Amino acid sequence: METNKAVSGVWIFGDYRKYFQNRVTLQLIAKGKDLAEKLGAEVTVLVLGYQVHQYVMEYVAHGADTVIVVDHPDLEDYQVETYTSMIARWVEAFQPEIFLAGATSFGREFFPRLAKRLNTGLSADCVALEVDPETRLLLQTTPAFGGELLAEVVTPKHRPQMATVHPGVFQERPHDHEAVGRILYPEIDILPEERIKLLRSRRQQTEKYNLEDAKVVIAGGMGLGSREEFELLFDLADLLEGEVGATRPAIRAEWVEEERLLGQTGKSVKPTILITIGTSGALQYTTGIQGAETIVAINRDSNAPIFKMADLGLVGDATTILPLLIETLRKRL
Ligand SMILES: Cc1cc2nc3c(=O)[nH]c(=O)nc-3n(C[C@H](O)[C@H](O)[C@H](O)COP(=O)(O)OP(=O)(O)OC[C@H]3O[C@@H](n4cnc5c(N)ncnc54)[C@H](O)[C@@H]3O)c2cc1C
């Protein structure tokens, strides 16, 4: 990586993962442009990922002078360690004066780590940014003391000067079809310690453990046999926009968090539909699910007590039925 003075001015992190909902990168490009003009510098967007070319022209159309595209199959899934390490190396190579990122969950996670790695400061959640053209210092206005005061922070000795900014603080520029920018596709060397393989990811529930109000509950018990099988319940719940619950033994086996316990010593639910899989139907459990409008039970033992309260029963192996159910729903929904 060779240092290129044309791209050492104001850097913006290209946060495209929530691109359509959250246009913070475009807003930061607009602000970065304003700061860069005062410094006689340029705006560069650094974007990491795989097959991210579609965003590049969008960044140029919104004011980026340069876009550095670090595109590699290993970067398809965001990994905080990999991203921090790689970005630190790009920053060290190009030495930007200023580096800005959105105060999204993404930016909030890796930007502080990056600042530490680069031995520089970081102002979080800035509400205003300015530059002093004489000293070239970035004036970072950020709420302090729980928002009671606004503090103006500068980073006089270390570079880059880093800040995160909330979406919506700055206005993006209008899309300019005729804008021209430099696009760099540098050669990428991923270090062995940066090669972390993501085996599985799961959507985080926004309203955590909203079991009591859920319209669909997928509940699992010991009949699922392992944590891996139990995790399939989350796939089913995702497809049906439901929540996952569990019996006490499944909690004891540490397949899932205690907050998902259903029953006498756990939560009581009243969904429109509850699918209970690999659960015997012990009274202490059924106490928690009796408020469900419709109960579908899956158990390989046709004599399992759960069938007595089920509206619909499927006798069979849950580890066969569950993947089939998920696959069928995926095709239909
Ligand atoms: C004071 C007290 C309070 C309790 N409070 C609670 C509570 O709040 N909540 C709670 O859940 N429990 C509670 N319990 C425990 C409760 O009595 C039961 O032991 C528990 O609910 C059983 O959990 P389970 O159905 O997952 O497991 P099991 O009873 O072991 O049932 C597993 C079921 O899975 C079926 N199965 C096995 N393999 C497969 C397969 N491959 N495919 C399909 N089906 C399969 C089996 O036929 C069986 O019916 C309490 C117990 C006590 C004493």
Side-chain angles (χ1 to χ4, degrees), residues 41 102 144 148 172 176 204 207 317:
E148 296 279 311
E172 67 190 62
D176 177 0
Q204 179 151 10
E207 284 173 89
D317 190 329

Side-chain angles (χ1 to χ4, degrees), residues 221-223 247-249 261-266 278-280 282 284-285 299-301 316-318:
M222 286 314 274
T247 62
R248 177 155 288 290
L261 173 66
L262 300 178
Q264 186 184 313
T265 52
T279 59
S280 57
Q284 293 90 346
Y285 167 66
N299 195 304
R300 71 175 175 193
D301 175 5
D317 190 329

